[in-house]
Amino acid sequence: MVRDWFRKLSPTRIRQQKQPETPVVSVPFADVESTLALYVKALSRDRLKVMSSSLARQGAYSDGRTVFVPPEIEMFDDPTQARLFYRVASAWKVMQVASGTLDLERVPDPTEDRDRFLYYEVLTGEWVDRTLVEVWPGLARNITLMRQDALERRSHNGKNGHSNLEPLIQSLLRLPLNRQPGSEELQKIASEHPQRNGELRDMLVATRDMLHADEPGQCLTLATEFSSGTGNLDDTVPDAVHFRGRIRPDLLKPPEIHIEDIKADPKTGSSRNRRPPPRNEPMQIESNQPLPRQNRNRKSPTGGRQSLQISLADREPARTFHSVPLTEEEKKGAYVYHEWDYLRQMYLPEWCALRTRRPKSGSTDKVEQILRQHSALIRHLKQQFEALRPERLRMTRQLDGDEIDLGAYVDSRADQMAGLSPSDKLYSHVQEKERNIALACLIDLSGSTGAWIDDDPRNDQVIEVTRRGIVFLCEALTVLDDRHAVYGFSGSTRKHAEFSIVKEFDESYGETVKGRINGLSPSAYTRMGPAIRHAVHNLTMQPARVRILMLLSDGRPNDFDGYGGRYGIEDTRKALIEARQSGVSTFALTIDGEARDYMPYTFGIGHYMVIEDTPALATKLSDVYRRLTVQ
């Protein structure tokens, strides 16, 4: 397995290359996350994101969609150097992805030809260095500094000296970036390793032209030639060049994994105390994660079938499962999204199949009843939103404009008659500041929304309060030009995530949309991750200056296939981090009484509101949006 091979290849931790007496500083990723996210977004033209991963302690890597860097840098005695390292490593990974050196058909399989893979990693590393400097010449000095630092560290590393690949790595690091060296210079560089002088010189000569090629295809050709013509490499694998990281072929291909139900321990009734699986077995994901959800101390609501849905949505799953990729049939007609596995600290690629649907529009009786019963409140909300409209400002005495400025024209003629130089600023125009806002309102339609408030059937159901809030918000937004969409989400397992389009950005709020709002009803489970990612995808397609995602839910993430407890919370949190890195502001409203246990961690301080008075949820939805968009 590729993953097993990489585990053997990687050191267990980053070694401190500095002398023991030299103090080093630790710069965590959190200190540079905001600027680094914008940096990677700009360099990749909004195609890649940057995140930290404990697996990146062995070297930064990318799966072709995300750049993963270490959670902290502890190699330098100056924090400025550590921050520079983060920038260089991130830019390097962006170029590695953009240049095609990570294309699946190009990267050798290390389990089939280890030597060829190692040569390919070294040669493409040198090629990317020069390509990066050519495309972004402003980084040339930083790349040169990092190459010198890497060479110095490797020269003092005894472990690296035992690998017969190490002399080639150090020799290549000594080559200049901006030109092709001559034969005498290559001979001098090769002489640094007298035991392999002749062989190294021949390899450097063969490499010289390849390093300045327009595309990386020659790297694979040369790696094949070196692996077959220079003898086998020894078992000692040198560390990666620190700012380049590693190529992770195990993340570029879907993992080979199997499904299996794990029986509970008959003595304890739990699967927690079972024997750990052997290392060569697929990693198991526990449904009973840390921070388990406690059952709510409330009576079971009445309502027949609805009660069953609520019970399923509220309880913690009690299964353990193995990772299995989606089949082509399961992907067909669906949006496929990754999912964050916090246990492995990695994304599960192409993990969730999400399908969109447009609910049928029928009767609008419930919506019309809301409009009649709350007409005074809706008028008040519209007045509040009307105050958000930008003021029209007439600019006078301009060089050009929509019409003649009569006052300026009269003054100009008077100056001319008096023998003075007349002014050319004879026009006026109206300046109107645009709000340029796009909102996506994401509604939880899980089975638990069918519960009655305070578990009393004489009260409204949660879904009815949600419906009322959506009507209030849509009615209030009719006085503004803000683009807005309303989505609902539910589903059962990662294979059947459902995304309901109640109102799309380009749809007007009319009878059709009202009919869909009228038909909203509780469904299945609360798998938030894929719904958030799809809503963010739709938001990023909008030409707006400000993009906002508002999430309305009555509970924490939950699904019966193991998406519960801390696992669901971690994936939801990761999806929200991705949203903010994409330039989308996020805010959540919830009526969950236990929300304060997990909302600060999941959404962040200031990005959520817990509503104690459930009926007040309807008005809070509009009030929060108004406050978020005040200019």
Side-chain angles (χ1 to χ4, degrees):
M1 295 287 289
V2 175
R3 192 180 306 279
D4 296 331
W5 180 90
F6 185 80
R7 189 179 293 115
K8 296 177 182 178
L9 168 70
S10 302
T12 57
R13 61 184 177 89
I14 292 179
R15 293 170 174 80
Q16 296 297 335
Q17 306 291 352
K18 291 281 184 180
Q19 297 298 327
E21 65 273 16
T22 304
V24 297
V25 296
S26 175
V27 176
F29 174 71
D31 287 0
V32 299
E33 181 176 6
S34 57
T35 55
L36 205 61
L38 292 175
Y39 187 65
V40 169
K41 182 177 180 180
L43 291 180
S44 66
R45 298 182 181 180
D46 206 13
R47 293 188 179 95
L48 298 177
K49 301 180 178 66
V50 62
M51 295 182 182
S52 65
S53 170
S54 60
L55 296 179
R57 296 179 190 276
Q58 295 117 27
Y61 62 92
S62 175
D63 60 359
R65 298 176 295 273
T66 305
V67 173
F68 296 96
V69 296
E72 69 277 325
I73 299 298
E74 298 177 305
M75 294 189 295
F76 304 96
D77 54 8
D78 183 356
T80 303
Q81 292 178 298
R83 293 185 176 92
L84 175 63
F85 182 90
Y86 266 125
R87 291 198 300 272
V88 171
S90 300
W92 202 92
K93 285 298 169 184
V94 171
M95 179 54 67
Q96 186 184 43
V97 174
S99 63
T101 56
L102 293 184
D103 291 351
L104 284 176
E105 65 273 10
R106 183 170 284 151
V107 179
D109 188 342
T111 61
E112 296 179 358
D113 195 337
R114 167 183 172 275
D115 292 0
R116 186 177 179 224
F117 171 80
L118 291 176
Y119 276 119
Y120 179 81
E121 186 177 52
V122 171
L123 295 174
T124 55
E126 284 294 316
W127 183 84
V128 171
D129 279 3
R130 286 156 180 78
T131 305
L132 188 146
V133 167
E134 182 179 351
V135 176
W136 298 316
L139 291 175
R141 181 175 179 275
N142 293 339
I143 291 292
T144 301
L145 290 175
M146 285 298 161
R147 285 170 63 88
Q148 293 172 352
D149 182 77
L151 180 59
E152 180 181 350
R153 292 171 186 272
R154 303 183 78 86
S155 299
H156 294 89
N157 191 329
K159 171 185 177 297
N160 282 327
H162 296 323
S163 169
N164 57 6
L165 184 61
E166 183 62 24
L168 176 62
I169 297 175
Q170 294 188 23
S171 298
L172 289 172
L173 286 172
R174 290 189 173 94
L175 295 178
L177 282 176
N178 56 353
R179 59 181 175 81
Q180 293 184 346
S183 299
E184 293 184 0
E185 188 173 0
L186 294 179
Q187 178 62 48
K188 182 179 179 180
I189 292 174
S191 65
E192 295 285 338
H193 301 274
Q195 71 279 13
R196 297 184 59 190
N197 189 353
E199 180 186 4
L200 271 179
R201 183 186 179 283
D202 293 342
M203 296 177 77
L204 293 176
V205 170
T207 305
R208 177 174 52 185
D209 295 334
M210 176 276 295
L211 293 179
H212 296 271
D214 293 333
E215 59 93 29
Q218 294 184 33
C219 297
L220 181 59
T221 303
L222 202 58
T224 304
E225 180 181 330
F226 285 174
S227 63
S228 60
T230 60
N232 294 332
L233 297 175
D234 57 19
D235 293 335
T236 304
V237 179
D239 293 339
V241 176
H242 59 22
F243 67 92
R244 296 176 187 166
R246 289 287 187 192
I247 295 178
R248 293 291 305 269
D250 56 320
L251 299 183
L252 301 177
K253 302 177 182 179
E256 297 181 13
I257 33 191
H258 309 281
I259 190 166
E260 177 182 340
D261 288 327
I262 305 297
K263 301 297 184 181
D265 189 323
K267 296 181 179 180
T268 63
S270 170
S271 61
R272 284 191 176 277
N273 298 323
R274 67 179 184 279
R275 179 182 58 84
R279 290 182 61 84
N280 60 350
E281 288 187 6
M283 179 173 285
Q284 298 169 351
I285 303 173
E286 291 282 358
S287 295
N288 293 324
Q289 303 295 349
L291 304 179
R293 177 174 182 161
Q294 301 297 327
N295 292 328
R296 298 180 182 178
N297 295 322
R298 66 187 189 188
K299 301 176 182 178
S300 300
T302 58
R305 181 170 178 265
Q306 185 64 47
S307 301
L308 176 62
Q309 292 177 329
I310 295 169
S311 174
L312 286 173
D314 281 352
R315 73 183 184 186
E316 180 79 2
R319 292 178 54 225
T320 303
F321 65 93
H322 284 187
S323 308
V324 289
L326 296 173
T327 65
E328 291 302 316
E329 186 64 26
E330 289 166 344
K331 295 178 186 178
K332 188 175 181 181
Y335 292 89
V336 181
Y337 289 97
H338 56 240
E339 187 169 278
W340 177 252
D341 182 348
Y342 87 99
L343 291 171
R344 306 189 209 180
Q345 287 294 295
M346 63 174 285
Y347 283 107
L348 303 175
E350 298 187 342
W351 193 246
C352 298
L354 179 144
R355 289 174 172 80
T356 61
R357 59 180 291 269
R358 290 181 181 267
K360 292 182 179 180
S361 180
S363 170
T364 61
D365 293 345
K366 294 180 181 179
V367 174
E368 295 299 332
Q369 183 180 5
I370 293 172
L371 295 176
R372 289 194 303 271
Q373 292 178 347
H374 302 278
S375 57
L377 177 57
I378 291 174
R379 283 197 302 270
H380 176 66
L381 290 174
K382 287 184 176 181
Q383 290 173 359
Q384 290 182 321
F385 276 59
E386 184 71 33
L388 300 179
R389 294 186 65 89
E391 295 181 0
R392 295 166 57 92
L393 178 64
R394 180 172 292 278
M395 308 293 291
T396 60
R397 300 182 184 275
Q398 303 294 307
L399 289 174
D400 55 30
D402 304 320
E403 56 189 28
I404 298 292
D405 184 347
L406 184 59
Y409 181 79
V410 170
D411 291 344
S412 176
R413 291 291 295 167
D415 290 343
Q416 187 178 18
M417 296 296 292
L420 301 176
S421 177
S423 174
D424 294 330
K425 298 180 179 181
L426 306 177
Y427 300 90
S428 69
H429 71 269
V430 175
Q431 185 180 62
E432 184 173 355
K433 186 178 180 181
E434 294 183 359
R435 281 170 58 84
N436 201 14
I437 294 173
L439 163 74
C441 189
L442 188 58
I443 310 164
D444 180 359
L445 296 179
S446 62
S448 58
T449 60
W452 285 274
I453 298 172
D454 297 329
D455 292 330
D456 189 342
R458 293 173 296 182
N459 296 333
D460 286 334
Q461 291 176 300
V462 174
I463 188 65
E464 296 303 327
V465 178
T466 301
R467 193 191 328 275
R468 191 155 61 240
I470 295 301
V471 171
F472 287 177
L473 180 62
C474 290
E475 288 288 333
L477 284 172
T478 58
V479 303
L480 297 175
D481 295 326
D482 295 358
R483 288 184 288 275
H484 60 286
V486 179
Y487 304 125
F489 72 95
S490 64
S492 56
T493 79
R494 64 189 179 93
K495 301 177 182 180
H496 303 287
E498 188 172 274
F499 192 89
S500 300
I501 302 175
V502 181
K503 179 189 178 301
E504 196 52 276
F505 286 101
D506 55 359
E507 286 187 285
S508 60
Y509 175 65
E511 294 301 308
T512 300
V513 172
K514 289 180 181 178
R516 293 175 187 159
I517 296 175
N518 193 92
L520 292 178
S521 61
S523 185
Y525 296 89
T526 316
R527 201 179 200 101
M528 291 186 182
I532 291 173
R533 292 183 175 98
H534 191 67
V536 169
H537 167 75
N538 290 352
L539 269 170
T540 55
M541 303 298 290
Q542 299 304 309
R545 179 176 56 86
V546 177
R547 302 180 179 94
I548 301 173
L549 172 64
M550 287 181 63
L551 176 64
L552 182 60
S553 176
D554 73 325
R556 69 180 66 195
N558 184 268
D559 203 342
F560 76 81
D561 64 349
Y563 193 90
R566 185 176 173 186
Y567 185 92
I569 289 174
E570 291 285 353
D571 179 59
T572 301
R573 179 174 183 266
K574 209 69 172 178
L576 292 166
I577 292 174
E578 296 168 20
R580 290 164 194 162
Q581 290 182 344
S582 300
V584 176
S585 300
T586 61
F587 196 91
L589 294 92
T590 183
I591 61 172
D592 184 10
E594 302 167 357
R596 288 185 176 86
D597 295 338
Y598 63 91
M599 291 291 275
Y601 175 77
T602 307
F603 289 87
I605 302 299
H607 291 273
Y608 72 96
M609 177 182 291
V610 180
I611 300 174
E612 304 288 352
D613 182 12
T614 305
L617 174 66
T619 54
K620 284 293 184 182
L621 188 61
S622 300
D623 184 57
V624 167
Y625 178 74
R626 183 174 60 85
R627 294 174 184 272
L628 288 174
T629 59
V630 170
Q631 300 291 306

